[in-house]
Amino acid sequence: MIRTALATAALMLAATGVASAEPLQEFVFDAEPHAAPINNRAGHWTPPGLELRVGFRQNNALRVAAEYDSLRDYVDLELSRPDGQPLTEGTDTDVKAQVVNRGLGCVDQAADVTVEKLERAADGSVDTFYGAVEHRCQYSSSPDNALRVKIRFSRT
């Protein structure tokens, strides 16, 4: 009887651990000197400081909104294909990438984007997005310097 009670308790504990798994959220960036709009700094944001939202807009652009430490810092990233279709898994070298940070923004008309995983719910919302972006701002003082971003987002 004691063995049965211990086994039942162990199964309940294991089931609780699986059911309460936290969603994966990670936003990592690294900006070279004079890259724009983020210049010469890096960050590795995770919860609880990170609030990450990923979703498609009506124009099929994918928006990634990363807010850190109650909006003390943020990066807003919008990615869109030139043909107007939604992003799909794979690598593209001509994605329009708009990045905004601390009120400054810049658009790269030919950013390198890799979508490792993209899953959408029946209603079209994004359940999972794993991707990377390399953004270069032609208006910065060093247009060859890059901002690199890695995103890991899972709603469940």
mmCIF file of all heavy atoms in Angstrom, residues 8 10 17 25 30 43-44 48 52 56 64 87 91 98 106-107 122 133 143 152:
data_model
loop_
_atom_site.group_PDB
_atom_site.id
_atom_site.type_symbol
_atom_site.label_atom_id
_atom_site.label_comp_id
_atom_site.label_asym_id
_atom_site.label_seq_id
_atom_site.Cartn_x
_atom_site.Cartn_y
_atom_site.Cartn_z
ATOM 1 N N THR A 8 2.052 6.495 -6.959
ATOM 2 C CA THR A 8 1.022 7.448 -7.387
ATOM 3 C C THR A 8 1.501 8.884 -7.193
ATOM 4 O O THR A 8 1.335 9.732 -8.079
ATOM 5 C CB THR A 8 -0.288 7.217 -6.607
ATOM 6 O OG1 THR A 8 -0.706 5.871 -6.810
ATOM 7 C CG2 THR A 8 -1.366 8.172 -7.061
ATOM 8 N N ALA A 10 4.606 9.930 -7.137
ATOM 9 C CA ALA A 10 5.675 10.192 -8.112
ATOM 10 C C ALA A 10 5.099 10.492 -9.487
ATOM 11 O O ALA A 10 5.552 11.407 -10.180
ATOM 12 C CB ALA A 10 6.632 9.001 -8.177
ATOM 13 N N GLY A 17 5.051 18.417 -13.337
ATOM 14 C CA GLY A 17 6.248 19.045 -13.895
ATOM 15 C C GLY A 17 6.127 19.255 -15.385
ATOM 16 O O GLY A 17 6.510 20.280 -15.920
ATOM 17 N N GLN A 25 11.160 31.580 -24.251
ATOM 18 C CA GLN A 25 11.285 32.936 -24.768
ATOM 19 C C GLN A 25 12.718 33.389 -24.572
ATOM 20 O O GLN A 25 13.230 33.405 -23.447
ATOM 21 C CB GLN A 25 10.323 33.885 -24.057
ATOM 22 C CG GLN A 25 8.877 33.574 -24.343
ATOM 23 C CD GLN A 25 7.957 34.699 -23.919
ATOM 24 O OE1 GLN A 25 8.377 35.739 -23.433
ATOM 25 N NE2 GLN A 25 6.671 34.491 -24.122
ATOM 26 N N ASP A 30 23.408 41.266 -30.956
ATOM 27 C CA ASP A 30 24.790 41.717 -30.914
ATOM 28 C C ASP A 30 24.968 42.744 -32.032
ATOM 29 O O ASP A 30 24.784 42.419 -33.210
ATOM 30 C CB ASP A 30 25.750 40.543 -31.117
ATOM 31 C CG ASP A 30 27.203 40.959 -30.986
ATOM 32 O OD1 ASP A 30 27.489 41.963 -30.303
ATOM 33 O OD2 ASP A 30 28.063 40.274 -31.572
ATOM 34 N N GLY A 43 22.901 41.955 -25.983
ATOM 35 C CA GLY A 43 21.981 41.590 -24.924
ATOM 36 C C GLY A 43 21.521 40.156 -25.079
ATOM 37 O O GLY A 43 21.464 39.622 -26.186
ATOM 38 N N HIS A 44 21.239 39.542 -23.963
ATOM 39 C CA HIS A 44 20.667 38.189 -23.931
ATOM 40 C C HIS A 44 19.497 38.262 -22.956
ATOM 41 O O HIS A 44 19.685 38.169 -21.752
ATOM 42 C CB HIS A 44 21.709 37.172 -23.475
ATOM 43 C CG HIS A 44 21.216 35.766 -23.553
ATOM 44 N ND1 HIS A 44 22.041 34.704 -23.385
ATOM 45 C CD2 HIS A 44 19.986 35.241 -23.794
ATOM 46 C CE1 HIS A 44 21.354 33.584 -23.502
ATOM 47 N NE2 HIS A 44 20.096 33.889 -23.746
ATOM 48 N N PRO A 48 12.483 36.467 -16.279
ATOM 49 C CA PRO A 48 11.269 37.259 -16.152
ATOM 50 C C PRO A 48 11.403 38.673 -16.696
ATOM 51 O O PRO A 48 10.403 39.375 -16.824
ATOM 52 C CB PRO A 48 11.024 37.282 -14.650
ATOM 53 C CG PRO A 48 12.383 37.224 -14.047
ATOM 54 C CD PRO A 48 13.187 36.354 -14.993
ATOM 55 N N LEU A 52 8.107 38.933 -24.671
ATOM 56 C CA LEU A 52 8.303 38.729 -26.105
ATOM 57 C C LEU A 52 6.974 38.396 -26.762
ATOM 58 O O LEU A 52 6.246 37.516 -26.308
ATOM 59 C CB LEU A 52 9.299 37.581 -26.319
ATOM 60 C CG LEU A 52 9.771 37.301 -27.736
ATOM 61 C CD1 LEU A 52 10.475 38.516 -28.342
ATOM 62 C CD2 LEU A 52 10.720 36.100 -27.740
ATOM 63 N N PHE A 56 1.932 37.772 -36.902
ATOM 64 C CA PHE A 56 1.839 38.315 -38.258
ATOM 65 C C PHE A 56 0.872 39.483 -38.280
ATOM 66 O O PHE A 56 -0.165 39.464 -37.629
ATOM 67 C CB PHE A 56 1.362 37.234 -39.245
ATOM 68 C CG PHE A 56 2.462 36.316 -39.676
ATOM 69 C CD1 PHE A 56 2.659 35.110 -39.033
ATOM 70 C CD2 PHE A 56 3.309 36.664 -40.718
ATOM 71 C CE1 PHE A 56 3.678 34.253 -39.413
ATOM 72 C CE2 PHE A 56 4.334 35.823 -41.104
ATOM 73 C CZ PHE A 56 4.518 34.604 -40.462
ATOM 74 N N VAL A 64 8.140 41.111 -34.304
ATOM 75 C CA VAL A 64 8.730 40.605 -33.067
ATOM 76 C C VAL A 64 8.909 41.815 -32.157
ATOM 77 O O VAL A 64 9.656 42.737 -32.489
ATOM 78 C CB VAL A 64 10.089 39.922 -33.321
ATOM 79 C CG1 VAL A 64 10.720 39.472 -32.018
ATOM 80 C CG2 VAL A 64 9.939 38.756 -34.291
ATOM 81 N N LEU A 87 6.524 34.921 -44.173
ATOM 82 C CA LEU A 87 7.774 34.172 -44.054
ATOM 83 C C LEU A 87 7.464 32.687 -43.872
ATOM 84 O O LEU A 87 6.444 32.315 -43.298
ATOM 85 C CB LEU A 87 8.572 34.650 -42.844
ATOM 86 C CG LEU A 87 9.209 36.033 -42.926
ATOM 87 C CD1 LEU A 87 9.855 36.382 -41.602
ATOM 88 C CD2 LEU A 87 10.238 36.099 -44.034
ATOM 89 N N THR A 91 15.951 30.032 -45.470
ATOM 90 C CA THR A 91 16.805 31.213 -45.447
ATOM 91 C C THR A 91 16.483 32.107 -46.635
ATOM 92 O O THR A 91 16.362 31.629 -47.758
ATOM 93 C CB THR A 91 18.290 30.801 -45.489
ATOM 94 O OG1 THR A 91 18.568 30.003 -44.344
ATOM 95 C CG2 THR A 91 19.201 32.023 -45.479
ATOM 96 N N GLN A 98 12.774 45.985 -40.622
ATOM 97 C CA GLN A 98 12.716 47.282 -39.950
ATOM 98 C C GLN A 98 12.987 47.049 -38.473
ATOM 99 O O GLN A 98 12.324 46.244 -37.836
ATOM 100 C CB GLN A 98 11.348 47.910 -40.134
ATOM 101 C CG GLN A 98 11.183 49.217 -39.389
ATOM 102 C CD GLN A 98 9.817 49.815 -39.626
ATOM 103 O OE1 GLN A 98 9.396 49.966 -40.768
ATOM 104 N NE2 GLN A 98 9.131 50.151 -38.561
ATOM 105 N N CYS A 106 15.650 51.914 -38.403
ATOM 106 C CA CYS A 106 16.306 51.799 -39.692
ATOM 107 C C CYS A 106 15.737 50.597 -40.424
ATOM 108 O O CYS A 106 15.367 49.590 -39.801
ATOM 109 C CB CYS A 106 17.813 51.653 -39.529
ATOM 110 S SG CYS A 106 18.677 51.860 -41.112
ATOM 111 N N VAL A 107 15.679 50.696 -41.750
ATOM 112 C CA VAL A 107 15.167 49.620 -42.591
ATOM 113 C C VAL A 107 16.291 49.090 -43.457
ATOM 114 O O VAL A 107 17.027 49.853 -44.077
ATOM 115 C CB VAL A 107 14.010 50.115 -43.486
ATOM 116 C CG1 VAL A 107 13.557 49.021 -44.436
ATOM 117 C CG2 VAL A 107 12.860 50.617 -42.641
ATOM 118 N N ALA A 122 -4.448 27.341 -35.574
ATOM 119 C CA ALA A 122 -5.545 27.339 -36.544
ATOM 120 C C ALA A 122 -6.052 28.751 -36.831
ATOM 121 O O ALA A 122 -6.476 29.053 -37.945
ATOM 122 C CB ALA A 122 -6.679 26.457 -36.044
ATOM 123 N N VAL A 133 18.263 36.988 -37.649
ATOM 124 C CA VAL A 133 18.247 38.109 -38.594
ATOM 125 C C VAL A 133 19.615 38.787 -38.575
ATOM 126 O O VAL A 133 20.188 38.999 -37.503
ATOM 127 C CB VAL A 133 17.168 39.150 -38.199
ATOM 128 C CG1 VAL A 133 17.183 40.342 -39.147
ATOM 129 C CG2 VAL A 133 15.796 38.514 -38.137
ATOM 130 N N PRO A 143 27.800 51.424 -42.820
ATOM 131 C CA PRO A 143 26.690 50.602 -43.303
ATOM 132 C C PRO A 143 27.006 49.115 -43.443
ATOM 133 O O PRO A 143 26.089 48.306 -43.573
ATOM 134 C CB PRO A 143 26.348 51.226 -44.660
ATOM 135 C CG PRO A 143 27.538 51.997 -45.055
ATOM 136 C CD PRO A 143 28.222 52.423 -43.789
ATOM 137 N N ARG A 152 13.975 33.073 -30.027
ATOM 138 C CA ARG A 152 13.373 31.769 -29.695
ATOM 139 C C ARG A 152 12.067 32.084 -28.980
ATOM 140 O O ARG A 152 12.066 32.677 -27.907
ATOM 141 C CB ARG A 152 14.269 30.958 -28.756
ATOM 142 C CG ARG A 152 15.598 30.614 -29.347
ATOM 143 C CD ARG A 152 15.514 29.263 -30.020
ATOM 144 N NE ARG A 152 16.825 28.837 -30.459
ATOM 145 C CZ ARG A 152 17.155 28.699 -31.728
ATOM 146 N NH1 ARG A 152 16.296 28.974 -32.670
ATOM 147 N NH2 ARG A 152 18.343 28.294 -32.077
#
